[in-house]
Each structure stands twice: as structure tokens, then as C-alpha cells.
């Protein structure tokens, strides 16, 4: 069992019932996703996400003393994965402390669209686990959160590890390779394909063809070099190649237009959600005439009928790192995002 940090409990916590909060960011799809060799040279499904700060899920959990640990209610309704995560986290935390588990009330808020491939369910699950742990006075390590998230979802994005570029085995909840401290600097013009409609992730087939392992291991080496050298152009080549391979499953009608726009405005490449409709065009912030290129890109997307969403960066700054919220995490300075009800599909234009 991985160690956890315990925070001091207020003296009146037991008398008034214990509450906790947690937060988790989202991502903007993947830079790379496919099949790779693990440390034992076994083929393993893995991915590298494109982190996106400023949005995410916030969870609040309040103990219901004397109830069964399975008695967890969730607001809003329908967040079954988060509810499962709460039950698992209650049992994990109570076992660590040697205390009697109990159920509680889970409340989720956030501003993530569902089904576009931005990790909305994982964000819910991680925020939930952090809130439950916070209510027990614990700060669980990322490895434990990943294990619980995979049990709750069946697969998980690496959001519990923050924004570092990681090759992550999403079905096993473990890091295959830490690629470095940050992705190369990039400006991402976000958009939504497929009419911004949600994608049923669980219904997508898993296609692995002859030669895929060789191709993805080559892209892994390229991405490793891109991170080491802060090479945005190489990052774009990797993400575009991975997106092309994924079109065997997703078959986005707009994908040729997306890559054509990227070429016409001198972008580094494109990236997509490998299990959704969110996509982005990547620019090197150091190229001449960046603002002009971004304006041309926005106009071209509009002409093609592709909904643009927001423009963001991969720049590593103190405020772009993920800092969990909650009493256990006092002292963090992560800016508070809006807590609005979950929308069903469309991202707001920015």
C-alpha cells in the first residue's frame, strides 16, 4: 500500500461530521496514443495527453456517520463512475487509518463538456478521490489515485500526475515513461470536429494492425527527442502522425481540411482526442507573424464549418501546474475555476 500524507484534523471535526473538497484539471485530447513496449518488453496500450489548465471538475464530499460505505449519493445524478470512485476511496482511506468506513454525499461541479475526449469522467473521478481523501485528512499519492481511477472507470487518463508529459498505460493506471518536465512550447487553436457531438468512448473498437508497434515505438522516440530539445516542430509531426493513424477508427470527415489548414498557415501540426471530437492546431510561439497566422487559422476553420473553441498554450509556468484544492491542500495557489453545471457537448467559443 502506497504511503499517504495525513493532515491535522480540527478538534471539532468528529462532532460536526467531516467534509472534504478536491479538484482535477482536464486535457485537450492526446499527442500520442497507441501500443508500446513496457519495461518488460511486453506490448501495452498507452497515451500522452495534451494538458489544459483552467478547466476541470470540483468535488465535495461530506461523511454520513453510521451509514454503510456503499451508501453514497451523487449530485448531479448519473455520475456512476464518480460514485464508484467515492466508495473505493472511502474504503481505501478508512483502511489506511484503521477506522470504520461510512458513506456520504458527493457533489460535483465543473465546466467540462462530456464526450469530446477531454477527460471529463477522469476529472470527475480524480476530484472525487481527492475530496474523499481530504474528508479523511489524507493526501493520497498519484499512484494510488490512478489505481482507484482505473477500478472505477476501466481506463484512466494521467491527470492525477499533473501536467508533465507522461507515456501512461491508461488501462493499467501506471506510468510507462516520464518524457520530461514539460512539452515543447506550443500555442494550440482548439476546435471541435464531428459537429461537436459527443463520442461513445466505450463503443470505439480497438484496432491494432501489423506494424503498429514499430510505428508507435518510432513516434515514442521522436516525442522523447521533441521534449528533450523543446522542439515544437517535431512535437507537431508526432501528434499529426498519431492522429492520422487514429483515423482508421474515428474517420473524421473534417480531418483532411484540418491538416490542410495547418499546412496553409504554417502550423507545426494537428492533434486530436483519440476517443472524442476535440482537436487542435499546434503553432510554435517563436515563429514570425504568429498573431497573423492565428487569425488566418481561425478564418480558415470558420470557412470549413469547423467550430473553433479556445486558444491556449503548453507553456510551463507556476500557474499552469495543477494544484489540488481542499483543506488537505491548504497553501496551494491554483486559481479557482468556474463551478458551473456540466454541459453535454459543445465547448464555448473563446
Amino acid at each position: 500500500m502506497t504511503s499517504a500524507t495525513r493532515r491535522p484534523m480540527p478538534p471539532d471535526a468528529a462532532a460536526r461530521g467531516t467534509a472534504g473538497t478536491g479538484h482535477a484539471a482536464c486535457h485537450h485530447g492526446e499527442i500520442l496514443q497507441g501500443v508500446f513496449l513496457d519495461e518488460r518488453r511486453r506490448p501495452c496500450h498507452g497515451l500522452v495527453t495534451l494538458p489544459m489548465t483552467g478547466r476541470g471538475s470540483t468535488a465535495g464530499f461530506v461523511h454520513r456517520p453510521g451509514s454503510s460505505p456503499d451508501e453514497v449519493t451523487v449530485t448531479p445524478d448519473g455520475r456512476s463512475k464518480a460514485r464508484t470512485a467515492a466508495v473505493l476511496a472511502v474504503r481505501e482511506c478508512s483502511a489506511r487509518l484503521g477506522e470504520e468506513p461510512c458513506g456520504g454525499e458527493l457533489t460535483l461541479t465543473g465546466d467540462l463538456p462530456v464526450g469530446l475526449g477531454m477527460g471529463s469522467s477522469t476529472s470527475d473521478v480524480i476530484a472525487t478521490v481527492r475530496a474523499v481523501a481530504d474528508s479523511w485528512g489524507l493526501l493520497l499519492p498519484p499512484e494510488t489515485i490512478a489505481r482507484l481511477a482505473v477500478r472505477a472507470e476501466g481506463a484512466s487518463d494521467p491527470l492525477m500526475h499533473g501536467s508533465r508529459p507522461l507515456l501512461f498505460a491508461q488501462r493499467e493506471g501506471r506510468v510507462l515513461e516520464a518524457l520530461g518536465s514539460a512539452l515543447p512550447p506550443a500555442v494550440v487553436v482548439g476546435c471541435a470536429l464531428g459537429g461537436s457531438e459527443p463520442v461513445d468512448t466505450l463503443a470505439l473498437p480497438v484496432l491494432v494492425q501489423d506494424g503498429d508497434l514499430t510505428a508507435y515505438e518510432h513516434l515514442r522516440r521522436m516525442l522523447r527527442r521533441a521534449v528533450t530539445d523543446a522542439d515544437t516542430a517535431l512535437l507537431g509531426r508526432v501528434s499529426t502522425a498519431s492522429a492520422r493513424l487514429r483515423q482508421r477508427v474515428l474517420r473524421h470527415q473534417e480531418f483532411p481540411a484540418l491538416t490542410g489548414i495547418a499546412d496553409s498557415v504554417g502550423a507545426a501540426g494537428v492533434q486530436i482526442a483519440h476517443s472524442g471530437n476535440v482537436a487542435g492546431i499546434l503553432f510554435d510561439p517563436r515563429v514570425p507573424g504568429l498573431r497573423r497566422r492565428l487569425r488566418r487559422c481561425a478564418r480558415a476553420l470558420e470557412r470549413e464549418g469547423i467550430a473553433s473553441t479556445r486558444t491556449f498554450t503548453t507553456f510551463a509556468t507556476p500557474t499552469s501546474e495543477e494544484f489540488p484544492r481542499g483543506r488537505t491542500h491548504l497553501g496551494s495557489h491554483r486559481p479557482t475555476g468556474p463551478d458551473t453545471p456540466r454541459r453535454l457537448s459543445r465547448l464555448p467559443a473563446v
Side-chain angles (χ1 to χ4, degrees):
M1 186 177 291
T2 310
S3 63
T5 303
R6 186 168 190 179
R7 63 167 171 81
M9 291 292 290
D12 63 339
R16 59 179 167 76
T18 308
T21 60
H23 182 82
C26 69
H27 62 78
H28 198 265
E30 283 72 40
I31 291 292
L32 175 62
Q33 181 169 337
V35 59
F36 307 90
L37 294 176
D38 68 5
E39 69 280 0
R40 298 183 183 179
R41 309 295 294 174
R42 299 176 302 182
C44 180
H45 289 276
L47 53 78
V48 180
T49 56
L50 177 60
M52 185 179 187
T53 59
R55 315 187 98 187
S57 297
T58 298
F61 186 79
V62 180
H63 289 198
R64 190 183 297 127
S67 65
S68 163
D70 293 332
E71 293 181 14
V72 173
T73 59
V74 185
T75 304
D77 294 333
R79 306 291 179 87
S80 58
K81 294 177 181 178
R83 182 191 178 282
T84 300
V87 173
L88 292 171
V90 163
R91 294 187 180 279
E92 177 78 23
C93 294
S94 61
R96 287 174 179 267
L97 298 174
E99 298 179 8
E100 191 69 23
C102 67
E105 299 173 9
L106 173 66
T107 303
L108 290 163
T109 55
D111 58 348
L112 292 180
V114 176
L116 288 186
M118 297 178 68
S120 60
S121 61
T122 296
S123 185
D124 276 355
V125 164
I126 295 173
T128 294
V129 173
R130 286 174 170 165
V132 172
D134 187 47
S135 75
W136 286 87
L138 293 175
L139 181 62
L140 296 177
E143 295 78 11
T144 300
I145 298 175
R147 171 170 55 80
L148 297 177
V150 170
R151 288 182 63 188
E153 291 195 82
S156 174
D157 300 310
L159 299 173
M160 69 291 295
H161 288 281
S163 61
R164 291 180 302 148
L166 303 173
L167 181 60
F168 187 75
Q170 69 269 30
R171 299 178 185 177
E172 302 175 27
R174 63 189 179 98
V175 176
L176 297 177
E177 180 180 354
L179 297 165
S181 59
L183 286 172
V187 177
V188 184
V189 177
C191 59
L193 308 179
S196 303
E197 290 300 316
V199 172
D200 184 355
T201 303
L202 297 178
L204 292 173
V206 178
L207 284 183
V208 179
Q209 299 181 1
D210 291 342
D212 277 2
L213 181 59
T214 299
Y216 284 117
E217 278 294 326
H218 178 62
L219 291 176
R220 175 185 187 173
R221 292 190 294 271
M222 290 174 63
L223 183 56
R224 187 186 299 139
R225 189 166 74 250
V227 171
T228 299
D229 297 341
D231 188 334
T232 307
L234 189 56
L235 174 73
R237 287 171 56 193
V238 171
S239 62
T240 302
S242 183
R244 287 189 189 281
L245 287 168
R246 189 59 175 168
Q247 292 311 301
R248 298 179 312 201
V249 173
L250 295 175
R251 303 185 185 278
H252 289 306
Q253 293 183 357
E254 307 99 325
F255 189 73
L258 190 71
T259 54
I261 292 170
D263 291 340
S264 69
V265 298
V270 302
Q271 63 84 213
I272 63 167
H274 283 59
S275 58
N277 278 329
V278 74
I281 298 179
L282 279 60
F283 291 84
D284 189 330
R286 300 160 292 196
V287 298
L290 175 64
R291 291 186 178 275
R292 175 176 50 83
R293 295 173 192 266
L294 295 176
R295 288 194 295 268
R296 287 175 55 201
C297 179
R299 290 195 295 267
L301 287 171
E302 184 178 4
R303 285 195 301 270
E304 293 290 343
I306 300 174
S308 59
T309 54
R310 67 182 300 177
T311 299
F312 63 99
T313 75
T314 63
F315 304 162
T317 66
T319 56
S320 69
E321 278 290 310
E322 183 184 5
F323 295 103
R325 290 208 299 271
R327 292 175 301 168
T328 307
H329 320 298
L330 288 177
S332 77
H333 56 281
R334 188 184 192 279
T336 302
D339 290 337
T340 55
R342 175 69 56 80
R343 285 180 290 274
L344 290 180
S345 61
R346 188 177 295 276
L347 282 154
V350 174

